[in-house]
Amino acid sequence: LRGRMARVALAVGGLGVYGVGVYAAYSYMNKDKVISSSKVSSVTENERMEAFQQIAKTFDKDLGRDESFMGITILRRLLMRHATGKVLELGAGTGRNLEYLLDYGTDVSEIVLTDFSDNMLSVVEQKISKLDSQTGFRSIIGGKNKNKIGTIRTQACSADDLSCFET
């Protein structure tokens, strides 16, 4: 037993040294690529909005593998189990939580997804059309039922500039 524990400790220590070495080598090789904060220009609100408009069609595919690798899909599933009643998702993008809300949000009666990007919401609406035939939910657009899913296009607003909420 003692010999086995020593081998495990040696293996864990070796992995730690390997990880530090890889990080150090990566940092050294990419030191010229680091951008100082003085060289970074701010992205305007219009540039940010346009970027989301352009990536909407491939957003789920581009992000899916990274989210799975980082465990975000598991977190989505766990969080959506706590959803009940009427659910409002602000900044819903392409509706990546929608599947989990329908599969695990057993007490969800209505879902409203909002986003400023028309293209992102178009992807959501395509998902809703497919889900209408597969679930007890009906889209607000496609019909009326006790359980509803809908989308609302919202005014663009940034966490950096909340003036769009002023009356």
Side-chain angles (χ1 to χ4, degrees):
L1 183 64
R2 182 178 266 181
R4 181 179 289 171
M5 293 297 287
R7 285 188 295 238
V8 169
L10 182 62
V12 169
L15 285 173
V17 169
Y18 173 77
V20 169
V22 168
Y23 175 75
Y26 177 81
S27 297
Y28 177 77
M29 290 173 23
N30 292 303
K31 68 181 177 186
D32 297 330
K33 295 179 184 177
V34 175
I35 301 171
S36 70
S37 60
S38 63
K39 293 181 182 178
V40 176
S41 64
S42 296
V43 175
T44 67
E45 194 66 20
N46 287 337
E47 290 170 333
R48 185 179 68 83
M49 289 171 45
E50 183 57 33
F52 281 105
Q53 290 285 72
Q54 290 177 6
I55 63 172
K57 289 183 180 178
T58 60
F59 188 75
D60 287 344
K61 182 182 175 199
D62 294 343
L63 202 60
R65 186 179 317 156
D66 292 338
E67 282 193 353
S68 294
F69 180 71
M70 292 185 287
I72 293 174
T73 52
I74 293 169
L75 291 174
R76 284 181 194 275
R77 187 177 306 130
L78 293 173
L79 287 171
M80 295 309 120
R81 288 183 180 182
H82 298 286
T84 59
K86 296 179 180 180
V87 175
L88 170 64
E89 185 174 356
L90 304 171
T94 60
R96 293 180 63 78
N97 289 329
L98 186 59
E99 171 189 345
Y100 302 111
L101 280 168
L102 294 174
D103 287 348
Y104 301 105
T106 54
D107 295 327
V108 173
S109 61
E110 186 172 345
I111 304 167
V112 177
L113 303 150
T114 68
D115 205 281
F116 68 85
S117 169
D118 290 337
N119 292 350
M120 290 283 195
L121 287 179
S122 292
V123 173
V124 172
E125 289 166 355
Q126 290 170 7
K127 288 180 182 181
I128 291 171
S129 294
K130 289 178 185 175
L131 292 169
D132 273 356
S133 60
Q134 299 171 3
T135 68
F137 277 79
R138 293 290 176 256
S139 67
I140 293 172
I141 299 162
K144 295 190 176 194
N145 193 343
K146 176 185 165 211
N147 300 322
K148 300 176 206 157
I149 306 171
T151 58
I152 299 174
R153 283 164 175 75
T154 56
Q155 179 180 4
C157 193
S158 168
D160 297 330
D161 177 16
L162 298 178
S163 62
C164 65
F165 291 112
E166 294 175 2
T167 56

